[in-house]
């Protein structure tokens, strides 16, 4: 299928919307757009961060998912209590593949589910006593934890438990930070508010405490930076970190993939915050800029073109030595990147991709696909705000599709009509599209592969895309009894 | 009244940020822009107009201020 023209794309959207009742169609119309690069402000073409329509299939998460699953969860030396019924924590346990180093259950706790397992009794009489007891027990069983966070699930907000009071008391008792996070799932329209709440809780409970306490010695240096918004999925933060370190920068903190509490505490002393996932951590970056005067810069480590661009941009904040190093790093990896492109570009050239992910990937991975000669013809976010779309419009070609919080039905219809060569989305979409005969990669968890960040990640990315797209199974989609006569006789003759 | 954050861009222009609406835009004009009196009506590139109580210029940027919306597109 060739690329759509603007008129065809508009017609496609109109056609897909036809099945909805009038009111729903009117609402959904605002979330679907055809990209126009001349538009400066995405507000004019697409609505974002609005409540999903009741009755449609949305794949959004909740505020708890944003806080526990994304921002706080990967902090490895703290224990994150899923405060409420057992399901929220258990079913989301270790699903994001935030890699980390440490001995799980001794000094690191990412993959373990801690929950207060609310019962009817706790709803009726309140769960504060239980929470205090849990913190006490955790302290006894896991003495090497560096702190505790209380991630509220829906009932906590509904019954009005005072987790802040419990946290303050417990914190004084155990002498470690205990952070209450008011990320009840019903807050906001998607996980996005959970990110914000989690950012605010770091600001209010870690930085504030930090200011009062004397910390273990840490000598700030002139080249200190913090990686913000990299969750180390499949090792992403590690493959980013080595590039920054090769440039001569000192990575003091990783927020929050493979991160620790001390790293969070050291961050206010760094010279620059480099921000990968703008959506989930711009809040704290802006706060640190205002409070501590730390500039922040967005970067993109998907695909060599964007990596080179980003390395230069980061280096521009430092002296000429770092800038020269940046050039040297780019030069050093050039032969490797050229080899990857020479190998995979001929196999992937011209293939069309549709994306539907969250956070930063719907725009960040476009460059990586383009480096491989592929074309992204549709992209969309689960939970973006308009500032994300402002940034996306420039990355996408004209007359491509943009879809915000797309429903299951709309996504399927778009795919049926456009027939892209590859879809990048999450586990919930994977099997629908594979059964439709379209190659699919999970772009949330890298389909259990990774890392995809950095130059090393790009090689893996290219290999994975090739492996998926050129898999021989896609030629076996028609069963033998439905094959045309000629092809059968031809096969017999041969 | 809403909390806004004003910062300086690399080119030295003022950038307006309204977190509640994810609105980030360049300020094209500001009524008073001197050390002792700063603020007043500010105009954004998108046509929006906000009012900050005139005050001595903030010692450093970015800074969070209260602003009143006079006229905003939407």
């Amino acid at each position: 299928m060739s690329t759509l023209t603007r008129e065809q794309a508009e017609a496609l959207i109109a056609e897909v919307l036809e099945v909805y009742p009038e009111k729903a169609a009117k609402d959904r119309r605002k979330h679907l757009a055809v990209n126009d690069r001349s538009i400066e402000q995405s507000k004019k073409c697409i609505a974002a961060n609005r409540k999903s329509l009741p009755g449609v299939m949305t794949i959004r998460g909740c505020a708890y998912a944003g806080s526990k699953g994304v921002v706080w969860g990967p902090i490895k030396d703290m224990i994150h209590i899923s405060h409420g019924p057992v399901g929220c924590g258990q079913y989301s346990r270790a699903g994001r593949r935030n890699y980390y180093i440490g001995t799980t259950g001794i000094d690191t706790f990412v993959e373990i589910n801690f929950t207060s397992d609310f019962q009817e009794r706790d709803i009726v009489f309140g769960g504060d006593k239980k929470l205090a007891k849990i913190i006490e027990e955790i302290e006894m069983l896991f003495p090497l934890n560096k702190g505790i966070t209380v991630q509220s699930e829906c009932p906590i907000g509904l019954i009005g438990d005072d987790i802040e009071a419990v946290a303050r008391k417990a914190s004084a008792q155990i002498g470690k930070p205990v952070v209450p996070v008011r990320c009840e799932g019903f807050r906001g329209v998607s996980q996005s508010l959970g990110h914000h709440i989690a950012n605010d809780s770091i600001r209010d409970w870690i930085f504030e405490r930090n200011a009062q306490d004397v910390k273990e010695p840490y000598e700030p240096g002139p080249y200190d930076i913090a990686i913000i918004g990299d969750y180390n999925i499949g090792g992403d933060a590690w493959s980013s970190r080595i590039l920054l370190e090769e440039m001569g920068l000192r990575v003091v903190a990783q927020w929050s993939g493979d991160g620790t509490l001390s790293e969070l505490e050291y961050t206010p002393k760094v010279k620059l915050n480099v921000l990968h996932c703008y959506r989930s951590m711009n809040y704290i970056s802006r706060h640190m800029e205002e409070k501590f005067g730390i500039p922040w810069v967005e970067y993109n480590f998907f695909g060599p073109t964007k990596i080179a661009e980003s390395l230069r941009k980061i280096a521009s904040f430092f002296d000429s030595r770092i800038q020269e190093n940046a050039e040297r790093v780019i030069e050093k990896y050039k032969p490797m990147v050229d080899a990857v492109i020479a190998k995979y570009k001929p196999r992937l050239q011209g293939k069309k991709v549709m994306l539907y992910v969250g956070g930063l990937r719907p725009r960040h991975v476009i460059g990586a696909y383009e480096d491989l000669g592929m074309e992204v013809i549709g992209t969309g976010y689960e939970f973006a705000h308009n500032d994300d779309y402002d940034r996306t419009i420039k990355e996408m070609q004209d007359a491509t599709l943009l879809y915000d919080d797309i429903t299951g039905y709309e996504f399927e219809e778009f795919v049926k009509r456009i027939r892209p060569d590859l879809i990048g989305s999450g586990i919930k979409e994977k099997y629908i599209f594979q059964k439709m005969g379209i190659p699919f990669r999970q772009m949330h968890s890298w389909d259990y592969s990774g890392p995809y960040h950095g130059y090393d990640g790009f090689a893996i990315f290219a290999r994975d895309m090739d492996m998926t797209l050129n898999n021989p199974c896609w030629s076996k989609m028609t069963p033998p009894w439905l094959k045309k006569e000629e092809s059968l006789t031809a096969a017999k003759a041969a | 009244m809403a909390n806004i954050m004003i910062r300086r861009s690399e080119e030295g222009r003022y950038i307006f940020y309204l977190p509640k609406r994810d609105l980030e835009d360049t300020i094209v004009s500001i009524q008073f822009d001197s050390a002792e009196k700063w603020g007043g009506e500010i105009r954004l590139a998108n046509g929006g107009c906000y009012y900050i109580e005139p005050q001595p210029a903030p010692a450093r940027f970015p800074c969070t201020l209260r602003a009143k919306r006079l006229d905003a597109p939407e």
Side-chain angles (χ1 to χ4, degrees), chain A residues 223 247 315-328:
Chain A
Y223 301 116
M247 266 167 73
S316 71
F317 283 80
F318 295 94
D319 55 25
S320 57
R321 189 175 77 89
I322 302 289
Q323 286 168 17
E324 281 157 27
N325 283 352
E327 295 302 325
R328 240 192 33 236

Side-chain angles (χ1 to χ4, degrees), chain A residues 41 286 289-291 385, chain B residues 5 22 24 46 60 62 64:
Chain A
Q41 287 216 309
R286 286 179 198 276
E289 185 181 27
E290 184 175 3
K291 183 98 185 272
H385 298 201
Chain B
M5 190 189 263
D22 296 305
E24 192 166 23
N46 73 355
R60 63 176 193 150
T64 300

Side-chain angles (χ1 to χ4, degrees), chain A residues 110-141:
Chain A
V110 178
E111 279 177 350
I112 304 181
N113 177 28
F114 294 88
T115 177
S116 47
D117 185 21
F118 258 43
Q119 303 298 318
E120 204 174 334
R121 187 178 38 128
D122 303 308
I123 303 286
V124 175
F125 297 108
D128 284 346
K129 276 195 190 124
K130 195 171 194 180
L131 180 61
K133 182 124 197 292
I134 286 169
I135 294 175
E136 209 175 287
E137 278 178 16
I138 283 176
E139 205 35 39
M140 185 180 69
L141 290 169

Side-chain angles (χ1 to χ4, degrees), chain A residues 150-162:
Chain A
V150 181
Q151 309 283 336
S152 318
E153 294 167 13
C154 296
I156 309 307
L158 295 172
I159 63 177
D161 269 7
D162 191 359

